[in-house]
Amino acid sequence: MPFSIPEYTERILRTKERMEAEGVDVLLLTDPANMYYLSGYDGWSFYVHQVLVVILEEEQPLWIGRKQDANGARLTVWFHPDHIIPYPDDYVHSPTKHPMDFVADILKQIGQGNRRIGVEMDAYYFTAQAFGRLKKGLPDARFQDSTLLVNRIRMIKSEREIDYMRKAAKIVEQAMRVGIDSIAAGVRECDVAANIHHAQISGTPEYGGDYPAIVPLMPSGEKTSTPHLTWSDQKYKPGDTVILELAGCYRRYHCPMARTAVIGPPSSLVQDLSDVVIEGLNTALEAVKPGVTCEEVEEVWRKSIERKGFLKDSRLGYSVGLNYPPDWGEHTASMRAGDRTVLEPDMTFHMIPGIWFDSYGVELSETFRVTEKGCEVLASFPRELFQCPVGGIFHPLEESGA
């Protein structure tokens, strides 16, 4: 197991304390990251409905999922196999039956059908149909939104979680180096992506990598005007700006990083923007310490770039760590005006001060841990605008260090 049983039981205890504070008797978790956090369950089965049930009076949770995934639960969860309840396969993608019908029946059978039930209304894998079937199957229950109940507990990391993120940092260092070293005029974007993927999964000689929650984001040329494009089979051209936003992932814990490169000499526009972003990033990181709020860190960044005549109207960063596709963020605190979340030791954030214009953009980012006096940047990689060759030979995997 990735964590000790005492760590899991302590997480369950904190979850129940928050449930009591919010008036929740039964908590239904469908977010795979929250399921993993409290149970250890780790499988690519979140494309079908599955639920972790936390009941105030019960010492151990229940895992309810597809029958063919039940052995996966037995191999990964920390609690007794009797708490693994599979539903038959005819509930999967059926026009007449729904897995939440099965969940509702189980809750009624164990005397939980008329209680106050918290559900993750804004979780990616909890659909409107799922909620509708639960309400129909449990007419005597009182439902309330508990979307971020466990997410907020996850914000402060344990020593083991920090260790996993440091390992992920070593992986992203290698993946970023491989990506930058692979970029050159005439090289296909997809071949660079393949090299990056190989580095992310192969990891280091000491430990391998996991699949990140987000694929490599790597817009080039005019596409750097927006952050969330991936790759194509087009070849890089002289003068292209290339953004790489990647993550290392170890045991589902992420360390994202972004850097920007130019094929050949950069234009004055890109160079000037890069200088502003790097200075603002350094200044904002220096402002991080316990007791400071998210909006205060963002204000330091905003004033730094405003002195150079720049404006960024999107958030500066967000809490990050454990997750599954489609996102590595924790969906809780954001570094932006109005977010008064107070930074505490062992919170972890991805600070990504990207600035995008209509035809170009620049990104550099760092993942950091809040320490007792400031912050620890988890990965060690140069903060600079990289210059890639205009012409050259594409480095295959065995030559690129992947």
Side-chain angles (χ1 to χ4, degrees):
M1 293 184 299
F3 302 97
S4 67
I5 290 179
E7 184 159 344
Y8 283 118
T9 55
E10 195 269 338
R11 292 172 179 182
I12 292 289
L13 177 61
R14 283 189 288 145
T15 299
K16 289 181 177 179
E17 289 173 350
R18 187 154 296 199
M19 288 168 62
E20 284 190 298
E22 297 185 11
V24 174
D25 301 317
V26 179
L27 180 63
L28 304 184
L29 299 171
T30 55
D31 183 329
N34 291 336
M35 295 179 70
Y36 176 93
Y37 184 74
L38 294 182
S39 74
Y41 179 69
D42 185 20
W44 193 284
S45 56
F46 41 84
Y47 66 95
V48 295
H49 294 284
Q50 54 190 19
V51 179
L52 191 74
V53 185
V54 181
I55 302 171
L56 270 180
E57 297 81 8
E58 296 293 329
E59 182 179 349
Q60 299 182 358
L62 300 172
W63 181 91
I64 304 176
R66 189 179 184 181
K67 182 178 180 181
Q68 63 180 239
D69 295 313
N71 281 340
R74 293 187 182 97
L75 290 169
T76 55
V77 304
W78 62 271
F79 46 80
H80 197 279
D82 288 349
H83 285 239
I84 297 169
I85 305 174
Y87 60 77
D89 212 64
D90 58 355
Y91 279 87
V92 176
H93 301 159
S94 167
T96 57
K97 306 172 78 173
H98 194 280
M100 291 301 165
D101 301 339
F102 183 90
V103 172
D105 289 341
I106 292 295
L107 291 177
K108 286 187 290 188
Q109 289 172 25
I110 62 175
Q112 305 298 319
N114 61 349
R115 306 198 73 188
R116 297 168 297 178
I117 299 177
V119 293
E120 297 178 300
M121 292 291 289
D122 203 28
Y124 290 119
Y125 303 103
F126 186 66
T127 64
Q129 179 74 277
F131 186 46
R133 300 300 277 257
L134 273 176
K135 290 196 296 182
K136 181 178 179 181
L138 297 169
D140 297 325
R142 289 160 289 170
F143 290 93
Q144 67 185 65
D145 186 9
S146 298
T147 299
L148 296 178
L149 189 150
V150 176
N151 298 58
R152 296 197 183 282
I153 295 171
R154 285 166 39 200
M155 288 183 67
I156 297 179
K157 309 298 187 294
S158 69
E159 184 177 342
R160 180 63 63 87
E161 289 178 291
I162 296 297
D163 177 64
Y164 289 167
M165 292 186 70
R166 289 188 181 123
K167 286 182 167 63
K170 294 299 181 185
I171 295 172
V172 78
E173 290 170 9
Q174 177 167 301
M176 184 63 74
R177 174 52 61 192
V178 166
I180 290 172
D181 287 350
S182 299
I183 295 170
V187 173
R188 296 189 304 172
E189 294 177 358
C190 55
D191 291 323
V192 175
N195 273 8
I196 291 169
H197 273 294
H198 185 276
Q200 288 173 313
I201 304 304
S202 62
T204 75
E206 293 76 26
Y207 48 86
D210 209 340
Y211 60 89
I214 302 177
V215 300
L217 303 174
M218 40 193 298
S220 65
E222 189 176 5
K223 291 184 288 187
T224 59
S225 61
T226 185
H228 297 138
L229 300 181
T230 55
W231 61 85
S232 71
D233 60 358
Q234 293 180 344
K235 294 180 178 179
Y236 292 112
K237 304 183 299 298
D240 277 351
T241 301
V242 183
I243 290 174
L244 297 180
E245 184 181 348
L246 323 170
C249 184
Y250 183 77
R251 297 215 171 192
R252 304 306 327 141
Y253 284 81
H254 293 76
C255 180
M257 181 201 297
R259 291 294 187 269
T260 301
V262 180
I263 300 175
S267 69
S268 59
L269 289 175
V270 171
Q271 184 64 65
D272 291 346
L273 181 58
S274 174
D275 293 342
V276 168
V277 169
I278 293 170
E279 180 181 344
L281 174 59
N282 292 337
T283 302
L285 286 171
E286 291 172 359
V288 172
K289 61 182 179 180
V292 172
T293 64
C294 284
E295 70 172 359
E296 287 172 336
V297 175
E298 190 276 341
E299 184 181 15
V300 170
W301 149 262
R302 181 159 29 89
K303 288 182 176 178
S304 173
I305 65 173
E306 282 177 352
R307 287 194 293 268
K308 303 297 178 65
F310 288 88
L311 171 69
K312 173 183 167 73
D313 57 4
S314 56
R315 64 182 179 174
L316 173 65
Y318 47 83
S319 60
V320 71
L322 159 67
N323 227 324
Y324 286 79
D327 185 23
W328 53 50
E330 291 179 326
H331 303 170
T332 50
S334 291
M335 291 183 169
R336 60 185 170 202
D339 192 322
R340 296 178 174 83
T341 302
V342 177
L343 302 189
E344 299 180 48
D346 294 326
M347 287 183 173
T348 50
F349 287 83
H350 183 208
M351 183 182 290
I352 180 162
I355 297 179
W356 306 273
F357 294 109
D358 287 343
S359 59
Y360 70 102
V362 167
E363 290 182 38
L364 286 93
S365 77
E366 298 288 5
T367 297
F368 66 87
R369 173 181 75 96
V370 181
T371 65
E372 294 293 338
K373 295 182 179 180
C375 76
E376 170 196 0
V377 176
L378 296 182
S380 178
F381 204 83
R383 290 178 205 158
E384 62 186 58
L385 180 65
F386 291 88
Q387 189 170 328
C388 298
V390 173
I393 300 174
F394 175 68
H395 296 288
L397 293 173
E398 61 271 20
E399 296 178 8
S400 66

